[in-house]
Amino acid sequence: MFANNKMRENSGRLIKIYRERMHQGSKDKRFSCNEFILATKDHPFYEIVEGEPVCSRATLNRLERGQIIKDDELYVFFIEKLGFKVDDFPGVMTNVERLGDELFDAVLMYDVHRIRNLKNEIESVLEKAKNYFYYAEIYLAFKVIINYYLDASYPTNDESDQLYLNSFILDSKVEELISNILFDHYYYKVMNMVIAERIYNKLVRFNNNSRISSLFIAGWLMYKERWFAALNEVEEGIKYFKDKKVNYHLGVLYFTQAMALHTGNKEDVQIFFDYSIDCLEKTQGKLAHCKLVNNYFNVGFQYYFDKNYNVAAKYFNKFLDNNPPFTIHMLYILNCAELLVNDELLNKLKQVTYIEEIDSSMSKIFYNYFLMKLEKESAKELENFIIHDVYEILQKKFRSDNLINYFKNELTNIIKITKHYKVATYFDNFTSYKID
């Protein structure tokens, strides 16, 4: 069952995590400490009579804290009681360590071809073991890393929560890769800042002789408005990946450098935006392409925010050339196109499609307004839609200062036509309302 003592320690800690989850989730007394140590008809243990303890609670507590217990059969007993399959797979852990090192190097160099080859090798090595206790955790970690770097695919919420709790069993290099992806998930996608901070604290302690985590470390430092520390982290990362000549990492780091400078110091950042775009345009791979398309919009939005509409339109055009589906942020592109009377941009916006998703009623409201503007609905219809449908969303479901200001400006322009000056107060004192 166990390749080494480290695997025994980790297995004990995993047993604790799963037992407590099953006990708390279902209130099933079988997973309380007192009943978990009892032999049963379905789970006998040597000559111990059914209903009698196979060990003391103190022994279970030591095992679950990661202290090594001499009798491996005790681990097997508890693992099977949790409902997992358990078996010995000689040589697999040696291959896992090798594959972890190789995967780390492939991600470091953003070698998509090598990552794809490793995917096939990992499937082969773990084919029989991937549904068994301990090995399933390792297989999930490999799968999530490969899906992220090959297909720009995030782990599910359940997978993220599982890996967040169980990543301690992984080799240091694989754990760092997983921690990067988990930070991306919790910070950028689900915006759980409590867990994001814990992962950041882990990232700064890794010592795998690379700057592979610089992007995510800098992201947290920027969130905390530690601009100089963020810039230092990014600059060290850029220096490292310049030496390695890895355009993917340089592309995302240059953009982060521009954002840190733009937000913190308002320095001229166009050169770093350009570097970011140039590096990502030279890089193959789906993840790099997704980052590139996002950066077209993000760079455009920064120029739009600075009221440099002509440069913003240049990047917005590149963004729309990739046929993205509608998102709320496209309202800003529409506004930019209207301010410039840019027919090219307006025509591309007319080709944007809406993809129905679960619980998408909120974004559908903004898409409907987007269509009304493109179809040149009357000022009165636009006004009514804002003060009823849009206002309801912003008041009760989705608080966004940028969108509140956006629609405040829309309403200001519309009432110049309708002369309904009283509706100008709709977005005043917005903070007095509480989202349900």
Side-chain angles (χ1 to χ4, degrees):
M1 168 59 198
F2 300 112
N4 50 47
N5 281 338
K6 186 66 177 175
M7 198 170 174
R8 289 182 179 87
E9 294 172 14
N10 288 338
S11 292
R13 294 169 65 190
L14 272 181
I15 289 168
K16 176 181 175 68
I17 288 170
Y18 280 114
R19 181 185 64 77
E20 289 184 341
R21 183 185 296 173
M22 291 176 180
H23 181 51
Q24 293 167 3
S26 65
K27 304 300 181 185
D28 191 332
K29 291 183 178 179
R30 290 178 303 163
F31 300 109
S32 67
C33 289
N34 287 334
E35 294 204 16
F36 196 55
I37 59 176
L38 302 181
T40 67
K41 181 180 179 180
D42 293 330
H43 297 99
F45 189 79
Y46 293 127
E47 303 297 324
I48 293 176
V49 177
E50 181 181 338
E52 292 296 316
V54 302
C55 68
S56 66
R57 278 193 57 174
T59 299
L60 174 62
N61 289 338
R62 290 201 307 274
L63 179 147
E64 289 187 337
R65 288 198 302 268
Q67 294 182 22
I68 296 170
I69 304 301
K70 292 182 180 179
D71 190 350
D72 282 356
E73 288 301 316
L74 200 55
Y75 291 92
V76 174
F77 171 79
F78 290 132
I79 291 167
E80 289 182 338
K81 256 202 158 186
L82 291 169
F84 292 100
K85 294 190 292 185
V86 56
D87 207 336
D88 184 18
F89 295 94
V92 168
M93 287 307 296
T94 301
N95 276 308
V96 163
E97 292 169 6
R98 173 184 60 81
L99 289 167
D101 286 345
E102 291 188 25
L103 184 57
F104 185 87
D105 291 339
V107 170
L108 184 73
M109 301 304 295
Y110 192 67
D111 187 338
V112 175
H113 178 72
R114 182 66 183 128
I115 295 171
R116 188 170 289 108
N117 287 341
L118 284 168
K119 175 184 179 180
N120 296 332
E121 191 172 356
I122 288 165
E123 289 289 347
S124 177
V125 167
L126 289 169
E127 180 182 6
K128 294 181 180 179
K130 65 184 180 182
N131 294 317
Y132 284 71
F133 183 80
Y134 202 93
Y135 299 101
E137 311 291 339
I138 294 169
Y139 176 75
L140 175 61
F142 279 142
K143 184 183 77 170
V144 164
I145 293 166
I146 286 168
N147 287 347
Y148 181 85
Y149 283 99
L150 278 188
D151 301 319
S153 174
Y154 281 88
T156 65
N157 290 339
D158 286 343
E159 288 173 336
S160 298
D161 292 343
Q162 182 178 342
L163 287 166
Y164 172 69
L165 291 173
N166 300 344
S167 64
F168 62 86
I169 76 167
L170 304 171
D171 169 83
S172 175
K173 289 183 176 180
V174 177
E175 187 179 10
E176 184 171 4
L177 295 181
I178 280 294
S179 297
N180 286 341
I181 296 169
L182 291 180
F183 183 88
D184 197 353
H185 172 82
Y186 285 111
Y187 179 72
Y188 293 102
K189 189 178 179 186
V190 303
M191 293 180 285
N192 185 328
M193 297 308 171
V194 173
I195 294 182
E197 183 171 22
R198 292 173 187 165
I199 298 172
Y200 160 78
N201 289 329
K202 179 188 286 189
L203 289 177
V204 296
R205 293 194 296 269
F206 282 113
N207 186 23
N208 289 316
N209 299 314
S210 87
R211 288 283 176 175
I212 203 165
S213 300
S214 286
L215 169 67
F216 306 104
I217 291 171
W220 182 258
L221 292 170
M222 288 167 64
Y223 171 70
K224 302 298 284 188
E225 297 186 1
R226 295 171 57 188
W227 307 114
F228 291 113
L231 281 169
N232 182 66
E233 181 68 35
V234 169
E235 286 167 0
E236 289 296 323
I238 289 172
K239 180 180 177 183
Y240 178 86
F241 286 108
K242 266 188 175 179
D243 184 59
K244 296 281 186 183
K245 299 179 181 178
V246 186
N247 279 320
Y248 168 75
H249 294 294
L250 286 172
V252 293
L253 286 168
Y254 275 128
F255 179 79
T256 307
Q257 183 179 31
M259 290 300 296
L261 286 167
H262 183 273
T263 310
N265 302 306
K266 296 293 184 184
E267 292 188 15
D268 181 16
V269 297
Q270 182 172 353
I271 188 172
F272 302 114
F273 282 139
D274 290 345
Y275 285 161
S276 172
I277 296 297
D278 182 58
C279 287
L280 290 172
E281 285 180 338
K282 292 176 180 176
T283 307
Q284 295 183 339
K286 189 171 181 179
L287 180 61
H289 181 70
C290 287
K291 296 285 187 183
L292 173 62
V293 174
N294 287 339
N295 277 8
Y296 283 146
F297 173 81
N298 291 332
V299 173
F301 183 75
Q302 294 308 313
Y303 285 113
Y304 169 86
F305 183 80
D306 288 339
K307 299 184 178 180
N308 191 342
Y309 300 119
N310 284 308
V311 179
K314 166 189 165 185
Y315 289 102
F316 287 154
N317 266 303
K318 287 176 176 286
F319 172 70
L320 293 173
D321 284 341
N322 289 274
N323 301 312
F326 175 81
T327 65
I328 293 170
H329 301 98
M330 288 189 183
L331 291 171
Y332 303 113
I333 304 179
L334 175 58
N335 184 241
C336 181
E338 290 174 332
L339 289 168
L340 294 173
V341 194
N342 188 315
D343 290 335
E344 180 184 11
L345 208 48
L346 286 167
N347 287 332
K348 288 180 182 179
L349 286 169
K350 290 176 182 177
Q351 306 306 312
V352 170
T353 57
Y354 179 80
I355 298 177
E356 287 282 356
E357 295 180 355
I358 298 173
D359 193 25
S360 61
S361 58
M362 182 178 69
S363 59
K364 187 64 177 290
I365 292 293
F366 294 114
Y367 178 66
N368 288 340
Y369 184 77
F370 176 80
L371 284 182
M372 290 171 71
K373 292 278 284 184
L374 288 172
E375 292 168 2
K376 299 187 183 301
E377 297 284 358
S378 71
K380 183 179 179 180
E381 288 174 303
L382 293 171
E383 180 183 270
N384 285 335
F385 195 82
I386 291 174
I387 64 177
H388 293 109
D389 301 72
V390 172
Y391 183 75
E392 179 79 5
I393 291 290
L394 293 176
Q395 181 187 0
K396 296 182 178 180
K397 293 185 179 180
F398 186 68
R399 181 66 50 77
S400 165
D401 289 341
N402 281 335
L403 281 174
I404 289 168
N405 289 329
Y406 176 90
F407 282 103
K408 197 171 185 177
N409 290 332
E410 288 286 292
L411 208 51
T412 298
N413 291 328
I414 289 169
I415 61 177
K416 291 176 182 176
I417 301 170
T418 64
K419 310 299 182 183
H420 297 159
Y421 297 106
K422 287 184 179 180
V423 302
T425 62
Y426 257 75
F427 290 94
D428 293 338
N429 302 318
F430 222 78
T431 54
S432 65
Y433 295 97
K434 183 179 180 180
I435 294 177
D436 296 332

